[in-house]
């Protein structure tokens, strides 16, 4: 029995849900760096999709619409799957009692809402890579908006879920750090997304391209933040936190 328990513990440590945000963030930053380094190495070339507007800084999608399109599609697809599975993993592990459990139906609804937002955003990311900006400009922009809106919905749902969850588990520092990290991401991404839209509308493409690259890099950090949520499950067992489900907050918010 001890051997089985030890083997299970080792398996949870090395084959666990926390690998999804890790793999997703590595693949995504690798994709961005592959696109950026290639563009710089080629001497910052002008792409057909950049148009006659005097744009000199390429958008992520400008580079991803050229010969590196297979890399862009592959990276976007893997990242999307890992993003959704990271959220689903947190929901499943809370349900199984291997993470701090949800304490109300509202928290569960917010969790499911964040997963739905992630699915919407992930579909948008895959489709914006497939329908590139050079050949399908309008569709590409629609799916870019879908991606941004989906991620924002997902982030907001997660933040609200964690805020309500933290009220019942005030001693969990990891949960508090994760909540504020995701809240900071939501605020910054929302501000940058609005800025990006305004810059696009006024055809300030060089500034818009810079904002887009920043948004892309920030998404890597957001994915990594789910490690804070999922790592504790490597040392827990099913039902371990079930008895904490009805624990009241130590100090209720005023």
């Amino acid at each position: 029995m001890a051997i089985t328990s030890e083997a299970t513990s080792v398996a949870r440590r090395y084959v666990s849900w926390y690998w999804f945000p890790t793999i997703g963030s590595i693949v995504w930053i690798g994709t961005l760096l592959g696109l950026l380094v290639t563009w710089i190495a080629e001497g910052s070339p002008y792409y057909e999709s950049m148009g006659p507007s005097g744009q000199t800084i390429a958008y992520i999608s400008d580079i991803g619409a050229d010969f590196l399109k297979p890399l862009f599609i592959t990276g976007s697809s893997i990242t999307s799957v890992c993003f959704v599975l990271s959220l689903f993993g947190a929901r499943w592990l809370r349900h199984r009692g291997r993470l701090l459990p949800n304490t109300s139906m509202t928290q569960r609804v917010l969790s499911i809402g964040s997963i739905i937002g992630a699915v919407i955003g992930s579909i948008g990311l895959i489709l914006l890579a497939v329908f590139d900006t050079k050949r399908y400009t309008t569709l590409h922009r629609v799916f870019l908006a879908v991606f941004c809106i989906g991620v924002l919905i997902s982030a907001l749902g997660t933040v609200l879920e964690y805020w309500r969850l933290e009220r019942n588990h005030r001693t969990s520092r990891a949960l508090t750090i994760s909540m504020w990290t995701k809240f900071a991401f939501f605020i910054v991404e929302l501000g940058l997304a609005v800025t990006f839209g305004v810059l696009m509308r006024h055809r300030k493409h060089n500034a818009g391209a810079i904002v887009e690259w920043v948004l892309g890099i920030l998404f890597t950090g957001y994915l990594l933040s789910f490690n804070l949520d999922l790592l504790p499950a490597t040392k827990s067992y099913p039902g371990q936190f079930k008895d904490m489900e009805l624990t009241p907050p130590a100090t209720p918010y005023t």
Side-chain angles (χ1 to χ4, degrees), residues 48-49 61-62 65-67 131-137 140:
E48 181 183 340
S49 58
S61 50
D62 288 325
D66 210 71
F67 72 97
F131 294 96
D132 60 80
T133 188
K134 182 167 68 174
R135 301 170 185 83
Y136 313 95
T137 305
H140 177 83

Side-chain angles (χ1 to χ4, degrees), residues 159 175-186 221-222 225 228:
V159 168
L175 180 63
T176 301
I177 293 173
S178 179
M179 179 190 71
W180 285 111
T181 299
K182 290 174 175 62
F183 178 69
F185 169 83
F186 172 77
Y222 181 59
S225 73
L228 290 170

Side-chain angles (χ1 to χ4, degrees), residues 13 50 216:
R13 180 172 298 180
M50 293 166 72

Side-chain angles (χ1 to χ4, degrees), residues 183-193 214-215 218:
F183 178 69
F185 169 83
F186 172 77
I187 294 298
V188 173
E189 190 196 30
L190 178 60
L192 288 176
V214 173
L215 279 167
L218 282 176

Side-chain angles (χ1 to χ4, degrees), residues 181-252:
T181 299
K182 290 174 175 62
F183 178 69
F185 169 83
F186 172 77
I187 294 298
V188 173
E189 190 196 30
L190 178 60
L192 288 176
V194 172
T195 301
F196 178 74
V198 171
L199 291 171
M200 286 283 290
R201 183 178 181 84
H202 292 280
R203 301 183 183 276
K204 304 291 184 181
H205 292 298
N206 283 334
I210 293 173
V211 171
E212 185 186 52
W213 282 101
V214 173
L215 279 167
I217 293 170
L218 282 176
F219 186 59
T220 305
Y222 181 59
L223 274 173
L224 275 175
S225 73
F226 284 96
N227 275 330
L228 290 170
D229 311 322
L230 299 172
L231 272 173
T234 61
K235 297 180 180 180
S236 67
Y237 54 85
Q240 179 174 341
F241 296 102
K242 283 292 186 181
D243 59 339
M244 301 177 65
E245 187 167 351
L246 298 178
T247 303
T251 307

Side-chain angles (χ1 to χ4, degrees), residues 28-29 31-36 39 47 49-50 55 57-66 68-69 71-73 76 125 128-129 132-134 140 144 147 196 205-206 208-220:
W28 182 242
I29 195 65
T31 300
L32 293 182
L33 288 176
L35 295 172
L36 182 60
W39 180 66
Y47 293 111
S49 58
M50 293 166 72
Q55 179 186 345
I57 302 176
Y59 287 100
I60 297 172
S61 50
D62 288 325
I63 308 171
D66 210 71
L68 287 179
K69 183 173 179 177
L71 170 65
F72 192 32
I73 293 175
S76 297
L125 179 58
L128 73 84
D132 60 80
T133 188
K134 182 167 68 174
H140 177 83
L144 177 60
F147 168 60
F196 178 74
H205 292 298
N206 283 334
I210 293 173
V211 171
E212 185 186 52
W213 282 101
V214 173
L215 279 167
I217 293 170
L218 282 176
F219 186 59
T220 305

